[in-house]
Amino acid sequence: MEEKSYKEYLNHITTFIFDVDGVLTDSSVLVTTTGELLRAMNIKDGFALKFALTAGYNMAIISAGTNEGVKLRLEGLGIKDVFLGAHDKITAFKEYISANNIKPEHVLYMGDDIADYAVMKVVGLPSCPQDAIPEIKGISKYISHKKGGKGAVRDVIEQVLKVQGKWVELS
């Protein structure tokens, strides 16, 4: 049986779910002298997240991290479903799709490491940044040409919205 191209899944996506560290960030953590952990997020990723929300897509973040600054940034973009401290991501995923009546095959999930594996095995379009670990790349139907925190989120959102005719039309 011939393997489907990832592009064949784009038309069916109604929901985006992203990990934070290694996906929305480059996995770096700056530690201040007071012990505060700082992360950098890509502004273009942020634009795409907000644009997809405005276009009517479901959006969630599932992360094992608990950084309050990350939560404030994501909520500032309009993302209401932010699951932090989710060490068992599959449980958070199942609760989210059940509460929102979402079919797993309509979900694009982008992760980069072992904690994302279980969720990625059950979604319609598992995807990852270019610098994800080999095990995650091995189950991804789409591997972005961009690294985590460097536009991988924008890349995948833009592709889905373009295929569905919902991306920015400039003329």
Side-chain angles (χ1 to χ4, degrees):
M1 182 176 210
E2 189 176 323
E3 184 71 23
K4 288 167 76 169
S5 162
Y6 80 92
K7 291 188 178 213
E8 296 178 59
Y9 297 93
L10 299 180
N11 269 320
H12 307 291
I13 299 303
T14 63
T15 304
F16 294 98
I17 302 177
F18 297 99
D19 176 31
V20 174
D21 293 322
V23 173
L24 284 164
T25 76
D26 68 0
S27 295
S28 297
V29 177
L30 300 174
V31 183
T32 68
T33 56
T34 61
E36 185 178 6
L37 304 178
L38 304 175
R39 292 163 175 84
M41 291 183 163
N42 186 295
I43 291 296
K44 291 177 183 171
D45 285 348
F47 171 83
L49 290 164
K50 191 168 184 67
F51 193 87
L53 279 167
T54 303
Y57 290 85
N58 301 308
M59 183 82 60
I61 305 297
I62 302 176
S63 175
T66 57
N67 187 287
E68 192 60 30
V70 167
K71 183 176 184 182
L72 290 172
R73 166 68 176 148
L74 296 170
E75 289 175 346
L77 292 171
I79 303 170
K80 293 176 178 45
D81 296 299
V82 179
F83 302 91
L84 299 183
H87 297 285
D88 180 12
K89 292 185 179 189
I90 193 72
T91 299
F93 169 76
K94 287 178 179 176
E95 288 172 4
Y96 173 72
I97 65 168
S98 176
N100 292 282
N101 199 27
I102 298 167
K103 294 180 179 176
E105 59 266 26
H106 295 162
V107 175
L108 180 150
Y109 182 97
M110 182 173 269
D112 72 310
D113 212 334
I114 294 300
D116 304 302
Y117 192 90
V119 177
M120 292 177 70
K121 290 293 285 183
V122 299
V123 299
L125 185 52
S127 59
C128 68
Q130 184 271 322
D131 56 344
I133 65 167
E135 294 85 352
I136 294 300
K137 285 182 172 182
I139 62 167
S140 292
K141 291 178 182 167
Y142 178 68
I143 301 171
S144 176
H145 63 285
K146 303 275 189 174
K147 292 182 177 183
K150 304 294 183 188
V153 169
R154 166 74 176 253
D155 170 40
V156 77
I157 290 174
E158 192 173 321
Q159 287 195 55
V160 170
L161 272 64
K162 281 182 176 177
V163 163
Q164 295 184 14
K166 296 181 181 178
W167 189 245
V168 181
E169 292 296 325
L170 302 175
S171 51

